[in-house]
Structures are given as structure tokens and as C-alpha cells.
Amino acid sequence: MSAFTFSHIHTRMPSTMPTPRRDLLLDTAEQLFYRGGFHATGIDLIQAESGVAKTTLYKHFPSKDALILAVLERSSLRVRQALEAQAQALAGTGVERILALFRDLRGMCEESDFNGCLFNNAAAEFMYSNPPIRALAAEHMQWMLEFLERLLAEEGFETEAALALLPMYEGLLTLGRVQDSHTAIKHCLGAITALLNR
Amino acid sequence: MSAFTFSHIHTRMPSTMPTPRRDLLLDTAEQLFYRGGFHATGIDLIQAESGVAKTTLYKHFPSKDALILAVLERSSLRVRQALEAQAQALAGTGVERILALFRDLRGMCEESDFNGCLFNNAAAEFMYSNPPIRALAAEHMQWMLEFLERLLAEEGFETEAALALLPMYEGLLTLGRVQDSHTAIKHCLGAITALLNR
DNA sequence: CAATAAAAAAACAGATCTGTACACCCCTTA
DNA sequence: TAAGGGGTGTACAGATCTGTTTTTTTATTG
């Protein structure tokens, strides 16, 4: 039936619904922005690397700023889902469950294109020049804080400890760029244990 | 005597010796790079803001990269001197001396043009595109680590605790951009106390 | 005052960046 | 087969950026 062909549905899809090309653009842009920075990464590179025509890129995202925002929004969503899933799967109880979360930072720091926390990098580049991007970074950090608070509450700790855990978490991501992450993580685990068992 | 006129000395000054204009350029560039980022801040803006002619700028620094490196080198030196002086003047003994260092982060986070840690910002923008800048950021972090180790040793703590303090310190600087720094610092002080008194 | 050297001012060259315009192609649908 | 919509590829416009060149001004020295 023509009323139910894919094409028909496709043309009636709202613009917010993901299309393969839109996702491909977001994937490519996220990877390039993360590795090379936002200002240093040009639209032409994203276009060439993704293989999608420039016209199509600007049909999905009216400007580079809009693309950056879309990348950050989707990345934030993905991080949230990943952390929720990770928290569900975390082995152990009590302190061990929180420690496991920090232990997993090591793998992230050792990935080949690791470059710290995307949201802090964005905040650094757009702190005073692009309020929406800065706000998005702030919202992401706020969510991280609340996530840690929930995790702490589940294990019977005072939720305020999240205010010490989050700087450690972000600090490890930041330092992981230029310092050995393994020993730093190890000693942070000790600090967390001391804090929560006090 | 002409042999000792200022001009004569000036012309024989090695290029590494600071001149008023060179310092003015470094001051302006540091402020603008810190606030607006490295790639986003153009040479023309530094030139206009400093009032020094572009010709003179390129006489002192052969390229933008060289200017960035010079800014980071001088800033690192200044931070080191400031922290050494601060450590000398720190009130209290034992844990209190370390806590005082972290307490001072609050003032930094509340400054009008605060934008985190200059060296982490530089590392984020140049991680894979400019090894010398990345290396300079790494060296600065290494010095910070050794500085904290010295401070801990002076107060009779195990120096390895610095590996937990440094992520916290840098994490607070990073989060200070988008989160209230006061409460985060307060809870980090508690974590440090728990760690060192364990 | 004349000579010289440095700095300022401004124009410019070449590259690059964002964003647009246009012609072409492919594929579906009528 | 004809029409039309979405994607491609390319060329281009305009702005901006780094770095250079050229000219003018300024200040110092003999």
C-alpha cells in the first residue's frame, strides 16, 4: 500500500527524527571535535570525513554552532545512558560499587583518541563566547552530580559526598591526558574509601 | 660615555631578555588566550588590544605558536613562583596547611574572567595537533604533582597522597567554570582530611 | 640639524573558513 | 515515461586569519 511505503513515512518524518545521514554526521563531528577541538575542526573536514555532501550537512544543521550543540546534546544523552547502564551492571555493594565506577576511568584514559571530558573541553572553548554551549556543559555536570548522589544514596552514604567525588572524577579525566592515569586512579580509590568509611 | 648608553646596551641585549613591549604582548596574549581560547583568539585582536604594532609582535614571536608557547612558559613559571610563595606563607601546620591551599581555590574560581586551568585548556586544544604545547602542559602538571609531594613530605604525610590531591585540585578548577565552587571545595576539604588522617 | 634606527600604520598576499548557489544524478512514484 | 525530491559535487562569495611588505612617523645620536 502506498500509504505505508517507507518513502511516504520518510517524507512525513519530523525533522527531529534521526536519519542515517544525520547520525553519520553527528558521529563524525563528535569524533573530530573531541580529538581536535571545536574551533580547530572545520566544517570541510567533517564533510570530507563523513562523505556526506556539504549541502546535506547544512540541511540538517543550519550552522556550525547548531552542529556543535547537537553533538553535545546527543553525547550527553549517550553518556547518561551509558552511566545508568554501567551503574546497573556494577558489581559489588557499598563502597565497592562506587570504586568500580572510578576504576573504569582507566580504560577511557587509555583509548587511542582520548582527550579528556568533551563537555569541559567545550566549556573551555566557549565559556564566554557561546552561552548555550556553556549552559549545556553546566547541565551535563549537574546531571553527573545528581547521578553520583543517587548512587551514593542507594548504598546508604550521605549524598553530599558527591561534591567530592565529582571533582575527582573530572580531575582524573582531565589529568589522564598528560599524566599516568593508573596510579592517580589507584590513590583516588583510596581517598574515596577513606571518605566514605569515615 | 657612549659605550654605556642605554641604547647601546639595548641593541646588544640577547633576544631572550625581556623588554617592556615583549612583556606587554605576553600579558595581553595570556589574558585573551585564557578567556577566549587559543584557536578562537586571533593575532589581530592581541595586536589591537595590546596597542603594539603587528610588526613588533612578529619581531618578538616568529609565529602564533611561538607566542602561545612563550605565554605558557611564562605562565607556568609565574604559577610555580606564586605557589611556592603561597606555601611559604600558608598558615597552620599538618593537614591545615594543605587545606589552606585548596581553600584558596575559591577566590580563583570567582574571578571575573575565570576559565579553569590554562594548561588543561591548552592541552585540550592541542592534544594531538601540537606536541610541544602538550608537552609543556604535561610538564606543568608534573611540577604540580611534585609540589604537592613536597608539601606533604614537609608535614609528615606520605607523598603518594599527592596523586589523589592533584586530580581534586584540577577537578575543582575545571568544575569551577560551571558549578558552584564553594560547596565542592568544602567537601573536598573533608575528603582530604579523611584521607590524610586515615 | 642631519643621520640612523626602531616602531607604528596600513595595505596586502595567500590560505582557510563558513555558508550558499547551481547543475547534475539517482530513485521513487504517478 | 515524466515529474519531483533528496543527495552529490563543485564552484564560489565573503569574511577572517596568519604573516609580510611598504611607507611613515618618531626618537635618539653625533
Side-chain angles (χ1 to χ4, degrees):
Chain A
M1 295 299 142
S2 66
F4 293 98
T5 56
F6 177 76
S7 167
H8 181 224
I9 292 170
H10 181 77
T11 55
R12 296 190 58 192
M13 272 200 290
S15 63
T16 57
M17 185 155 177
T19 65
R21 277 193 179 69
R22 186 185 155 92
D23 278 344
L24 175 58
L25 282 167
L26 287 172
D27 286 341
T28 311
E30 179 172 343
Q31 181 185 321
L32 293 174
F33 283 146
Y34 180 59
R35 191 178 196 277
F38 296 91
H39 286 94
T41 301
I43 289 283
D44 283 0
L45 180 62
I46 295 167
Q47 183 269 316
E49 206 72 16
S50 67
V52 176
K54 212 181 198 180
T55 322
T56 311
L57 191 156
Y58 275 99
K59 196 162 294 177
H60 285 290
F61 310 101
S63 67
K64 184 181 179 181
D65 280 3
L67 175 58
I68 293 174
L69 268 175
V71 163
L72 290 175
E73 275 167 14
R74 202 192 56 156
S75 179
S76 178
L77 194 66
R78 190 150 56 188
V79 168
R80 295 180 194 202
Q81 288 168 348
L83 281 177
E84 299 280 14
Q86 198 180 351
Q88 294 287 344
L90 278 181
T93 56
V95 188
E96 259 310 315
R97 188 135 170 267
I98 279 92
L99 294 187
L101 199 73
F102 278 75
R103 252 191 280 268
D104 287 345
L105 281 173
R106 189 179 178 189
M108 295 169 58
C109 292
E110 282 170 356
E111 269 173 25
S112 65
D113 280 349
F114 178 73
N115 193 16
C117 169
L118 180 69
F119 302 91
N120 279 323
N121 296 354
E125 285 200 49
F126 297 104
M127 180 76 180
Y128 296 105
S129 61
N130 195 321
I133 293 180
R134 198 200 95 106
L136 213 150
E139 280 164 30
H140 185 81
M141 289 303 147
Q142 182 61 34
W143 183 90
M144 291 285 296
L145 187 65
E146 289 163 7
F147 168 75
L148 290 171
E149 285 173 352
R150 258 184 289 139
L151 208 61
L152 286 166
E154 283 175 21
E155 302 300 329
F157 298 111
E158 37 180 334
T159 61
E160 285 177 346
L163 284 161
L165 295 191
L166 186 55
M168 250 187 270
Y169 195 90
E170 291 296 330
L172 284 170
L173 280 176
T174 298
L175 280 175
R177 267 194 292 250
V178 295
Q179 278 269 336
D180 169 47
S181 65
H182 179 50
T183 52
I185 290 172
K186 204 179 73 181
H187 285 86
C188 281
L189 296 183
I192 294 168
T193 308
L195 173 66
L196 296 182
N197 287 342
R198 141 177 90 166
Chain B
M1 293 299 123
S2 66
F4 293 99
T5 57
F6 177 77
S7 166
H8 180 226
I9 292 171
H10 181 76
T11 57
R12 295 191 58 191
M13 271 200 291
S15 63
T16 57
M17 185 154 176
T19 65
R21 273 191 186 73
R22 184 184 158 94
D23 279 343
L24 175 58
L25 282 167
L26 287 173
D27 287 341
T28 310
E30 180 172 344
Q31 181 185 321
L32 293 175
F33 282 146
Y34 180 59
R35 191 177 197 276
F38 296 90
H39 286 94
T41 301
I43 289 284
D44 282 1
L45 181 63
I46 296 168
Q47 183 269 314
E49 206 73 16
S50 67
V52 176
K54 212 183 201 180
T55 325
T56 313
L57 191 157
Y58 275 100
K59 196 162 293 175
H60 285 290
F61 309 100
S63 68
K64 186 181 178 180
D65 280 2
L67 174 59
I68 292 174
L69 268 175
V71 163
L72 290 174
E73 276 167 13
R74 203 193 54 156
S75 180
S76 178
L77 193 66
R78 191 151 55 187
V79 168
R80 295 180 194 202
Q81 288 168 347
L83 280 176
E84 299 279 16
Q86 197 180 351
Q88 294 286 344
L90 277 183
T93 56
V95 188
E96 260 309 317
R97 188 136 170 267
I98 279 92
L99 295 186
L101 199 73
F102 278 76
R103 252 191 280 268
D104 286 346
L105 282 174
R106 189 179 179 190
M108 295 169 57
C109 292
E110 283 170 356
E111 270 174 23
S112 65
D113 281 349
F114 177 72
N115 193 16
C117 169
L118 180 68
F119 302 92
N120 280 324
N121 296 354
E125 285 201 48
F126 297 104
M127 180 76 181
Y128 296 104
S129 61
N130 196 320
I133 292 180
R134 198 200 95 107
L136 214 150
E139 281 164 29
H140 184 81
M141 289 304 147
Q142 183 62 32
W143 183 91
M144 290 285 296
L145 187 66
E146 289 163 9
F147 168 74
L148 289 172
E149 284 173 353
R150 258 183 289 139
L151 207 61
L152 286 166
E154 283 175 21
E155 301 301 329
F157 298 111
E158 36 181 334
T159 60
E160 285 177 346
L163 283 162
L165 295 192
L166 186 55
M168 251 188 270
Y169 194 90
E170 291 296 330
L172 284 170
L173 280 176
T174 298
L175 280 175
R177 267 193 293 248
V178 295
Q179 278 271 335
D180 169 46
S181 67
H182 179 51
T183 53
I185 290 171
K186 204 179 74 181
H187 285 86
C188 281
L189 296 183
I192 295 168
T193 308
L195 173 66
L196 296 181
N197 287 342
R198 149 178 83 166

